[in-house]
Amino acid sequence: MSTKTIIEPFRIKSVEPIRWTTRAEREATLRVAHYNLFLLEADDVLIDLLTDSGTGAMSTHQWAGIMEGDESYAGSKSFHHFKRSVQDITGYTHVIPTHQGRAAERILFSVMCKPGHIVPNNTHFDTTRANVEFVGAEAVDLLPAEARQPETHLPFKGNMDIAALEQLIARVGRERIPLVMLTVTNNSGGGQPVSMENAKAVSAVCRKHAIPLYLDACRFAENAYFIKLREPGYGDKTPKQIAQEMFALGDGCTMSAKKDGMANIGGFLCTNDDLLARQQKDLLILTEGYPTYGGLAGRDLEAVAIGLQESLDEDYLRYRIASTAYLGSHIAEHGVPIVQPPGGHAIYIDAKAFLPHVPAAQFPGVALAAELYLEGGIRSVEIGSLMFAAAAKMELVRLAIPRRVYTQSHIDYVVEIILQVWQRRAQIRGLRLTYEAPFLRHFTARLAPVS
Ligand SMILES: Cc1ncc(COP(=O)(O)O)c(C=O)c1O
């Protein structure tokens, strides 16, 4: 493709109005929300970049599939369609549907982990970390030092530190590590991809020590496209072939179909281990539902079955990755510090460098996110000291792009608003906590400006 203009590879058949508000209205709503953008009403947001999770637009094929949904309690046709689609891509023996990714995580860790265990990952996502800790195990992030520097340009900044993995196994012993996880792409680490070479190396270490490897596969299609673009030897392969090769390196996966499943709800857990699958299904029945629906309607299973395949379409992936990069490069060229290079689903602004006068204890990421809302009604999310407390490695503001929802002119508007906030960054103040929950505190925290 030689044209410069990025076009959406779809036409729009149904539209949803978004609402303008005045700055005075936004000041009032932000106060009511205690400066926590999770507590805003969606109707008070103009461009919602809070998450790319479950916020995508479905295709005509998915909507048609919804009408085909078989709502039988057991053995529905839709489950078999779902299973075929998941197995076509992952190749795993057992496919267990769940209502979303964290339900798959809870079941996986409940069955495999106990107090004293350690779960290594390139970077645990917040729900993954919380679910590991909830069963009394320890979640360890093994990101190489250079990947923690936002400004460093590396093609595969989501890679796991292989030497650190070997050292951890040598130090604590194989018996304390029930599984290793690899998150593709690495969401909390900046939406950065993992190379096939790195995934192969992680897999080899796991095989050597007989430790199962599970992929946190939420953005497997975007990761596959980055491999196609950046890793020697993959340029002529399809995203699907690349994804299949990566899944073959593991023993199973957890998946939130709200991302590269292109659905508004759904997830799954896969494993090749018959015994584990039996235990996982028992737990599934207790809390999610019968193994052929796992907390989903038949129509949801259809939407995921179709969406998984659509996420691997090359025209779509080309546009998706180019549009995200466009947002990143247009703010970075004016000096806005971002995690480089731009990731697949989101742009991460380095709030520590954006607001050097705001210390981590005053949540620079939350303060910056609040300003983007005040300036232009944009909702983003902090990934830093509020989300991870002492475990925070960076102070980031994530602008996550919902799939197939916003056009390039929406993206141009976001660029304009960020640059306006950048101009007056010296006047932005930090925030202090006035309430926090015992875990996952960022969802419900209340804050106030420091005086
Ligand atoms: C890497 C990663 N893992 C797991 C999850 C959890 O998925 P869900 O929100 O469907 O529970 C997310 C969600 O954002 C994620 O980004």
Side-chain angles (χ1 to χ4, degrees):
M1 209 47 117
S2 57
T3 49
K4 226 168 70 228
T5 309
I6 299 166
I7 66 157
E8 293 77 14
F10 46 80
R11 295 185 295 195
I12 297 168
K13 194 175 245 174
S14 175
V15 297
E16 186 183 7
I18 48 178
R19 195 171 77 87
W20 288 95
T21 50
T22 63
R23 187 178 173 104
E25 283 170 336
R26 292 194 291 276
E27 281 169 3
T29 46
L30 193 62
R31 266 196 308 276
V32 172
H34 300 275
Y35 294 82
N36 182 347
L37 303 189
F38 277 108
L39 303 180
L40 286 176
E41 297 301 330
D43 199 35
D44 294 326
V45 175
L46 184 69
I47 306 279
D48 204 343
L49 307 183
L50 179 68
T51 177
D52 63 322
S53 179
T55 51
M58 290 205 291
S59 67
T60 47
H61 292 300
Q62 285 176 295
W63 284 111
I66 279 192
M67 289 308 294
E68 300 266 0
D70 173 357
E71 304 303 341
S72 306
Y73 188 94
S76 86
K77 277 202 304 271
S78 298
F79 171 71
H80 291 292
H81 182 197
F82 172 84
K83 187 175 168 188
R84 273 197 310 280
S85 179
V86 174
Q87 285 183 328
D88 173 45
I89 297 167
T90 68
Y92 297 133
T93 318
H94 300 279
V95 179
I96 299 171
T98 58
H99 79 277
Q100 62 183 92
R102 69 197 68 185
E105 292 163 5
R106 191 188 64 78
I107 291 171
L108 178 72
F109 300 133
S110 301
V111 167
M112 294 187 81
C113 300
K114 59 177 201 269
H117 276 168
I118 293 175
V119 180
N121 200 327
N122 42 352
T123 310
H124 288 85
F125 184 64
D126 60 352
T127 59
T128 322
R129 170 172 288 277
N131 273 301
V132 169
E133 291 171 354
F134 193 69
V135 295
E138 190 188 337
V140 175
D141 293 343
L142 300 177
L143 206 59
E146 63 271 20
R148 276 184 246 133
Q149 277 139 22
E151 68 288 354
T152 317
H153 263 271
L154 289 172
F156 291 105
K157 241 176 151 177
N159 282 354
M160 185 180 280
D161 185 335
I162 303 295
L165 177 62
E166 287 274 27
Q167 280 158 18
L168 180 75
I169 299 169
R171 186 164 56 80
V172 305
R174 182 258 164 266
E175 319 67 54
R176 286 184 63 198
I177 303 181
L179 76 159
V180 171
M181 286 207 89
L182 189 63
T183 305
V184 295
T185 59
N186 187 2
N187 183 357
S188 312
Q192 301 292 330
V194 173
S195 70
M196 191 68 82
E197 188 188 13
N198 186 256
K200 281 182 183 164
V202 174
S203 175
V205 172
C206 290
R207 297 268 182 272
K208 185 169 87 187
H209 297 279
I211 301 173
L213 171 63
Y214 280 74
L215 299 180
D216 178 340
C218 298
R219 299 177 181 83
F220 73 96
E222 290 169 8
N223 201 94
Y225 195 66
F226 277 119
I227 289 176
K228 182 179 169 75
L229 290 181
R230 297 180 185 170
E231 194 161 348
Y234 288 91
D236 291 335
K237 298 203 168 160
T238 64
K240 188 165 175 175
Q241 287 168 329
I242 298 170
Q244 286 165 332
E245 186 177 334
M246 185 164 277
F247 281 114
L249 298 169
D251 301 283
C253 69
T254 55
M255 173 76 189
S256 168
K258 300 170 74 175
K259 283 84 167 174
D260 280 350
M262 301 287 223
N264 301 122
I265 196 70
F268 52 86
L269 169 60
C270 290
T271 182
N272 283 336
D273 185 316
D274 297 344
L275 182 65
L276 279 181
R278 196 165 341 125
Q279 293 167 339
Q280 288 164 354
K281 282 180 197 168
D282 288 345
L283 201 52
L284 186 85
I285 292 172
L286 194 66
T287 57
E288 288 277 303
Y290 191 72
T292 59
Y293 74 87
L296 295 170
R299 53 181 169 269
D300 300 326
L301 294 166
E302 290 288 346
V304 176
I306 298 163
L308 283 171
Q309 302 291 337
E310 288 182 354
S311 77
L312 289 163
D313 177 80
E314 272 198 57
D315 287 344
Y316 159 71
L317 283 168
R318 186 184 307 112
Y319 137 81
R320 168 87 176 148
I321 301 302
S323 175
T324 307
Y326 173 99
L327 169 56
S329 56
H330 279 72
I331 56 174
E333 74 190 15
H334 288 88
V336 176
I338 63 164
V339 174
Q340 292 283 10
H345 67 291
I347 292 301
Y348 293 69
I349 300 177
D350 179 358
K352 196 168 155 188
F354 197 111
L355 302 175
H357 56 286
V358 179
Q362 292 180 9
F363 309 110
V366 187
L368 176 55
E371 289 301 322
L372 296 177
Y373 176 69
L374 284 177
E375 189 75 24
I378 297 168
R379 176 153 67 172
S380 54
V381 67
E382 183 249 22
I383 299 195
S385 289
L386 183 64
M387 185 179 274
F388 291 121
K393 304 251 176 357
M394 300 189 246
E395 302 295 338
L396 304 175
V397 170
R398 186 185 74 181
L399 302 150
I401 323 285
R403 291 167 181 76
R404 306 188 289 206
V405 170
Y406 294 114
T407 63
Q408 277 305 107
S409 56
H410 290 119
I411 300 290
D412 281 325
Y413 171 83
V414 174
V415 169
E416 193 178 330
I417 295 299
I418 294 171
L419 294 180
Q420 282 169 16
V421 174
W422 176 239
Q423 292 307 318
R424 57 174 187 78
R425 61 193 180 278
Q427 287 118 50
I428 298 171
R429 286 184 299 158
L431 298 163
R432 65 186 166 81
L433 265 176
T434 60
Y435 164 77
E436 63 176 310
F439 41 80
L440 296 176
R441 67 177 181 173
H442 53 290
F443 287 123
T444 52
R446 295 177 175 190
L447 301 102
V450 290
S451 45

